[in-house]
Amino acid sequence: MSQNNSIQIFITGGTFDKSYDYINGDLYFEKTHIPEMLIRSRCCLDVNVKTLMMIDSLEMDQSHIDNIITNCIECESNKIVITHGTDRIVESAKKIQKAEIIGKTIILTGAMIPYAFGSSSDGFFNLGCALSFAQSLKNGVYITMQGQYFNPNNVLKNTKEGFFKKKN
């Protein structure tokens, strides 16, 4: 496949990639779970995975966002999926959108429950949706969660019910 048909996945951390210490009850970052998820899901897409950082989105500052934007601009693929923490995913998506990256479809996704928690995690479903939306949506920046895609300017995280929804 040519590079334009490939999908670039950028890893930034977030709940998606947190591991669980059963003894202390702590969540922490060890490694990304994305390659394992792609293998387990029998993904047949031409995918390139690159870890940019492994942090909680609440720890992200402008330098982290600038790193994500630079990698999106320099990326040869025109289809990009970014795994991201859900607490600041909307804020980051708006900043990426403001950078006006031309000719690329950029999808941010995350998980409310870590992949390491097994079948209760929404990570598998959200990753699959992100890969599908990266191939089917027109150029722009989007967030996908729970099977839906959103414009970053028209979405909010409902923290009481644990899902994302359109503002209006």
Side-chain angles (χ1 to χ4, degrees), residues 8 10 50 52 65-78 80 82 95-104 106:
Q8 175 68 58
F10 290 131
K50 180 180 179 183
L52 301 182
I65 301 299
D66 291 344
N67 182 22
I68 294 168
I69 290 169
T70 298
N71 275 275
C72 287
I73 291 168
E74 294 176 355
C75 175
E76 290 182 21
S77 178
N78 61 359
I80 301 169
I82 302 169
K95 289 179 179 180
I96 295 167
Q97 188 176 52
K98 191 174 181 179
E100 297 183 4
I101 300 168
I102 305 298
K104 298 186 181 190
I106 301 171

Side-chain angles (χ1 to χ4, degrees), residues 51-160:
T51 301
L52 301 182
M53 61 201 77
M54 293 287 283
I55 63 173
D56 190 289
S57 65
L58 292 173
E59 298 173 15
M60 278 192 179
D61 60 27
Q62 190 59 47
S63 69
H64 296 110
I65 301 299
D66 291 344
N67 182 22
I68 294 168
I69 290 169
T70 298
N71 275 275
C72 287
I73 291 168
E74 294 176 355
C75 175
E76 290 182 21
S77 178
N78 61 359
K79 299 170 188 71
I80 301 169
V81 170
I82 302 169
T83 63
H84 197 286
T86 60
D87 287 321
R88 295 242 177 104
I89 195 169
V90 174
E91 180 182 326
S92 293
K94 287 178 180 179
K95 289 179 179 180
I96 295 167
Q97 188 176 52
K98 191 174 181 179
E100 297 183 4
I101 300 168
I102 305 298
K104 298 186 181 190
T105 302
I106 301 171
I107 311 290
L108 286 82
T109 193
M112 302 295 276
I113 301 167
Y115 168 75
F117 282 19
S119 62
S120 66
S121 175
D122 54 338
F124 254 130
F125 184 67
N126 292 338
L127 178 61
C129 289
L131 291 168
S132 293
F133 286 135
Q135 297 174 81
S136 59
L137 292 174
K138 66 180 182 175
N139 293 338
V141 179
Y142 306 89
I143 295 170
T144 183
M145 294 290 294
Q146 293 108 11
Q148 301 179 83
Y149 71 90
F150 305 95
N151 178 310
N153 296 308
N154 191 30
V155 63
L156 58 87
K157 179 181 177 181
N158 182 327
T159 56
K160 292 180 182 175

